[in-house]
Amino acid sequence: MVGLAVACALSNMPLTKHLRVGIIDSNPALKSRNYLKKDGIPDSRVSTITPATMSFFRDIGAWEHVQQQRHAFFGKMQVWDYTGLGYTRYSARDVAKEYLGCVVENKVLCNSLLLRLQEENRDIEKMIYPTRLVSLALPSKSRQVPTSEATSSGYTSGELHRSNLVKLELSDGQTLYSKLVVGADGSKSNVRQAAGIKTTGWNYSQSAIICTVEHITENDCAWQRFLPSGPIALLPIGDNFSNIVWTMSPEESLRHKSMSPEDFVKSVNNALDFGYGPHPRSSSLDFYMEKLFSDVGSTAASTKECFEVPPKAIGVVSERMAFPLSLKHSHDYVSKRLALVGDAAHTVHPLAGQGVNLGFGDAATLAKVIVDGVSVGADFGDISLLKRYENDRKAANIAMAAVLDGFQKIYSVDFGPLNVLRAAAFHGAQYISPLKKNIISYAMGDTKWPLLL
Amino acid sequence: MLRRLTPSLRRSLLTSSSPSAAAVPGRWGVPLTEPGASLPHTLLPQWRLCSSAASHSSPPTPPRPPSPPQGPKRPAGGSTVSSLNPAEVAKFAAIAETWWDSEGPFKPLHLMNPTRLSFIRSTLCRHFRRDPNSSKPLEGLKVIDVGCGGGILSEPLARMGATVTGIDAVDKNIKIAHVHAASDPSTASIEYICTTAEDLVKEHKQFDAVISLEVIEHVANPLGFCESLSALTVPNGATVISTINRSMRAYATAIVAAEYILNWLPKGTHNWSKLLTPEELVLILERASISVQEMAGFVYNPLRGEWSLSDDISVNYIAYGIKKVEKASVESN
């Protein structure tokens, strides 16, 4: 998905249009390039697209294709926890926007990028290599020490040119040579391993269960409740469907995966309602908070909104999938003639749905760096050029990973005083208007740094 | 022509050296041919002195570098004396192998390269009325890179579509440049020759654009060098020159910091007294029939490790000029 976005961005800009881009992916989904029907049951693999990602899609001309397929904007978000001490409601009106984000199935995003790519490149079939990467050989480090022997020792010019490129061997026996390889092959990236780039990270001893559920009415709000075992999120995906991302221990996730659909629905409804603890109520704490901040000045519009109970699920309509969660960060995003984007460079906790947005941020920046390089006649596989991409993205990605990791840690402990602190933080987020606006902006991808007011 | 240019030049130099007067026209850089507002009266005696000094070919206050021409202008190609300084040639031959090591002695040039190229790209696109959105805006233009070193400017110019000739007086540089360019089909067509600008003038070679970056501060005779560059440029063609200012700030940053503290450059790379101020460079070029159109400075951001273009020409600067047609050059003598 992120790799397609890089290809799409490059083919959309006048300076990089001429570049020959190859996409190596054996996923059969790359073959279907028609609009997906809206009446089917939504896929459980979805992404929460921030306005920043949306504007990137608009820039590269792919958003109009998303709009022709299923997607669900949401303008409200409610976050609360199981202790019943606090809740926060975010509203797009707080930051004078129409929506906070949009939930889109991954296959819709993928499809939209492909359709856009097809508009720009008639012979898209030639771009796509429906095969796998077998091996990857980076050029030796030393284009910098060309000696005169190299020319006199009978190299043909073709050999000489190729010796300076990345050699890719594919599972169908083809061999490709490339000036730049973009590794967009996920958290277990083969490209990253072939390049010998190390990662830092840890597993969360948590798994996430994802699936699609159905309601009686349409859901228009993103809901997230922190439970002792991890957060559960209910995201609108259009019509009467919602997507569930539920984080829990690996054992629990196996149990929830194998239980009967009826029991699972019960369990979901319980987790989003009275399960594990009471609803948050207006309390004396609220009274003081309100008094305090009404003196300070403007409060966010959503301050007065009461806690609501999310709509009940009436059935689970997709397969339940479970996958382990981890945090992984690549030491380097680039090396000579190689760049890593998306999950290949960084895997974050999925609790705020930020992972894919960071990936699209990578794609946008990498494409821009390549455009800048081409405009000044640089070799765009040059490490000093690619370093500019790394410098730009690494700090932003680490900040987001740390924020999400912190959240995960705060909520994985059930300890009285900490619960109260957490609740106070929720109250703070609910009542301190600039803080709230900043949290929203950061989560929407409008600001690069958390808490720079 | 010279009289018309000098006041505006003085004005723009004053503007760029005082931060309070920041209203410099253009995106960056200092357009020199549009004087704009009238000159303050207090400056008149100064510039008159300066321009009359220049037109009578006796050295003006800036002492050494612009060695004034004695007698009539040398006919193009008629000179047998090279403007090259043998000691400088030997100095660069010693470090030639490391040209393409972006962490090596030429690191500052590698860092600065994108910024220099974006100035060249935008001025040449305007000069030759090329589409700046094209990936090969210089297609079909004959461009020479004088003092090409290992080819770190020639290669990007070739990728932008230009038909590039790179010349350098150091044979080793030419060998390195040649081998390096050969490994990429988009740069393999560059013609590298071990020669000097003077010798090419004798062969009556001419180019649409003549570019010589960070070279003039190393030549023995800047005026002779500029006259050669001028002779290599077709009438109404473009000339681009970059160098280091002879200012206290340049001494502190380009020599003391870059050579002695940061070890970016080998010690002794630059000799302060041989540096030219932008004003001197404009006068020299003017005498060589090149009318400077635009200047820009390069500033280094140590936090980002990147260079950017600015109107601050107090240290590193670049100038773009137009080769005047014959009539104008007669007038300036």
Side-chain angles (χ1 to χ4, degrees), chain A residues 14-15 18 143-148 150-151 157 160-162 164 179 374-379 383-384 388 391-392, chain B residues 97 100-101 114 117-118 121 132-135 155-156 159-160 175-176 179-180 182-186 188 304 306:
Chain A
L15 281 170
H18 67 289
R143 197 172 101 131
Q144 72 203 34
V145 282
T147 51
S148 28
T151 36
S157 68
L160 188 62
H161 296 163
R162 283 199 291 273
N164 184 34
K179 276 191 168 179
V374 169
S375 89
V376 295
D379 174 352
I383 181 101
S384 55
R388 279 163 57 191
N391 292 345
D392 203 52
Chain B
E97 289 288 350
W100 284 95
D101 179 2
L117 280 154
S118 77
R121 179 193 175 88
N133 278 330
S134 160
S135 63
E155 289 195 12
R159 287 197 195 91
M160 285 190 218
K175 286 210 175 81
I176 284 179
V179 172
H180 193 269
S183 64
D184 182 347
S186 58
R304 292 190 60 87
E306 285 172 16

